[in-house]
């Protein structure tokens, strides 16, 4: 089994998004990681529906949408209509997470839950059976290009242990500061999906950067 690589479009050149899409389409990347920020849940605003509409009509690989917004349940249908395959909401932004996950499933998407660096993976104990993916934030959400917080590695290992103990098969995704130097350790700890923004889009050779963090793994 291989780790999946999801380049984060946040680090792409927005003056030439079509080129970023062409790059991901032809590369070994598996998913598009799409960071939607509202300036309330996080101190930054990224992009919204017009960019999603462009992605929905110009991509073939799955759209992995990471919502960094308050009241994410208000937008479930809108993202489903725009070809989103995996919709991830923050535990810290969801008052009724169980219901939100049910709504994401009812809209035909995979449901992910994201955890900020300060949130323990143990907070997921009563919801793990319901989720398709857990996104471990390895930086504070809001900006690309930050340094990886090493504690994330232990969170991945603990989640992997919980997954094995309970016989579950949700995916573990890591987001923030991922690069060649830390990717193998993450995959060995149990990560299935690596998100990378700057490491891919600021690289001299983005195709090679994607290959560099796509490890073959045995689980
Ligand atoms: C941060 C976003 C990340 C970000 C990662 O809030 O969720 O997806 O784009 O960027 P890098 O890989 O540059 O840390
Ligand atoms: Zn993200």
């Amino acid at each position: 089994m291989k780790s999946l690589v999801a380049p984060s479009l946040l680090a792409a050149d927005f003056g030439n998004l079509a080129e970023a899409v062409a790059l991901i389409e032809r590369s070994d990347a598996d998913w598009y990681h799409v960071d939607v920020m509202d300036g309330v849940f996080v101190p930054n605003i990224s992009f919204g529906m017009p960019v999603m509409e462009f992605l929905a009509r110009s991509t073939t690989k799955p759209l992995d949408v990471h919502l960094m917004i308050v009241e994410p349940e208000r937008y479930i249908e809108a993202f489903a209509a725009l070809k989103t395959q995996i919709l991830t909401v923050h535990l810290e932004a969801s008052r009724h997470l169980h219901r939100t996950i049910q709504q994401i499933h009812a809209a035909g998407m995979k449901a992910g839950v994201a955890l900020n660096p300060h949130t323990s993976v143990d907070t997921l104990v009563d919801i793990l059976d319901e989720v398709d993916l857990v996104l471990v934030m390895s930086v504070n959400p809001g900006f690309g290009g930050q340094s990886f917080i090493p504690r994330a590695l232990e969170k991945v290992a603990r989640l992997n242990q919980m997954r094995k103990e309970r016989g579950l098969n949700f995916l573990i995704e890591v987001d923030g500061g991922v690069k060649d130097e830390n990717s193998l350790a993450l995959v060995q700890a149990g990560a299935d999906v690596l998100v990378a923004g700057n490491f891919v889009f600021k690289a001299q050779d983005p195709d090679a950067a994607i290959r560099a963090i796509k490890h073959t793994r045995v689980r």
Side-chain angles (χ1 to χ4, degrees):
M1 191 183 174
K2 281 197 172 143
S3 58
L4 304 178
V5 175
S8 169
L9 289 172
L10 192 64
D13 175 4
F14 278 73
N16 205 343
L17 212 43
E19 193 181 301
V21 167
L23 161 70
I24 294 179
E25 289 291 330
R26 71 160 188 261
S27 76
D28 289 338
D30 300 276
W31 296 350
Y32 291 83
H33 186 77
V34 185
D35 289 303
V36 176
M37 306 178 184
D38 65 356
V40 179
F41 180 67
V42 289
N44 192 16
I45 298 174
S46 56
F47 50 77
M49 295 318 181
V51 170
M52 278 302 300
E53 281 161 20
F54 167 72
L55 294 174
R57 68 171 185 268
S58 58
T59 60
T60 66
K61 295 182 180 180
L63 299 178
D64 168 39
V65 176
H66 177 191
L67 292 184
M68 284 160 274
I69 66 175
V70 297
E71 299 179 19
E73 61 279 357
R74 293 170 59 204
Y75 296 95
I76 292 170
E77 292 299 332
F79 282 95
L82 292 171
K83 249 183 70 178
T84 299
Q85 295 200 17
I86 307 106
L87 189 65
T88 295
V89 299
H90 266 264
L91 176 131
E92 302 85 0
S94 307
R95 211 180 284 258
H96 298 286
L97 183 58
H98 187 278
R99 180 187 292 142
T100 302
I101 288 166
Q102 286 180 325
Q103 289 170 339
I104 294 172
H105 284 152
M109 298 177 286
K110 302 268 190 219
V113 177
L115 298 181
N116 277 337
H118 75 275
T119 306
S120 167
V121 295
D122 292 319
T123 57
L124 293 173
V125 70
D126 291 309
I127 198 79
L128 269 187
D129 302 41
E130 312 289 333
V131 304
D132 303 295
L133 177 147
V134 176
L135 189 166
V136 175
M137 285 304 303
S138 40
V139 298
N140 282 294
F143 303 93
Q146 305 179 76
S147 301
F148 181 82
I149 298 171
R151 175 75 194 172
L153 196 57
E154 289 159 63
K155 292 173 79 171
V156 169
R158 168 97 182 104
L159 263 176
N160 191 33
Q161 185 192 0
M162 290 161 86
R163 174 167 65 179
K164 282 189 185 145
E165 283 170 3
R166 294 177 52 177
L168 299 173
N169 53 18
F170 58 85
L171 296 174
I172 301 174
E173 180 172 38
V174 183
D175 185 6
V178 172
K179 48 180 104 165
D180 49 358
E181 290 154 32
N182 52 29
S183 60
L184 183 59
L186 286 167
V187 171
Q188 284 171 341
D192 307 286
V193 189
L194 300 179
V195 175
N198 279 261
F199 182 69
V200 167
F201 285 105
K202 304 290 188 271
Q204 289 262 339
D205 183 348
D207 288 282
I210 290 165
R211 284 196 300 274
I213 55 171
K214 201 168 161 65
H215 301 280
T216 305
R217 61 182 301 229
V218 187
R219 190 156 95 195

